[in-house]
Amino acid sequence: MPLDALLAILGMAAVTYAIRVGGFLIAERLPTTGFVALWMRNIPGAVLAALIAPDVLKGGPAAWLATAAATLVYLATRNVLATIAGGVLAMFLLRRFAGL
């Protein structure tokens, strides 16, 4: 393995480790109640919505129906993993069997 590649891999590993350790150190100092705690709990959902929304808006009928199915799964289960699985399954079925 060339030295440049080895140095790049070691550098990326060091940066990844530093980010994770930094996150743990900062997390200990964050409040567990109040507005900031509420805000931090909602970040994952907001990021997921921001990643999915553009594809839903330009995706057409299959994406809209799959989003509706995923929403129903979420309302029934309140489980994000089940919601993602339901949306993916709905999209697969709509594309495979409904031709959308």
Side-chain angles (χ1 to χ4, degrees), residues 34-73:
F35 175 75
V36 173
L38 179 64
W39 182 69
M40 293 295 288
R41 278 194 298 272
N42 288 303
I43 287 177
V47 169
L48 185 61
L51 291 172
I52 293 172
D55 287 334
V56 170
L57 292 175
K58 66 179 180 181
W64 303 332
L65 290 170
T67 302
T71 301
L72 292 175
V73 170

Side-chain angles (χ1 to χ4, degrees), residues 6-19:
L6 180 61
L7 290 175
I9 291 170
L10 291 174
M12 289 184 283
V15 169
T16 300
Y17 181 75
I19 289 171

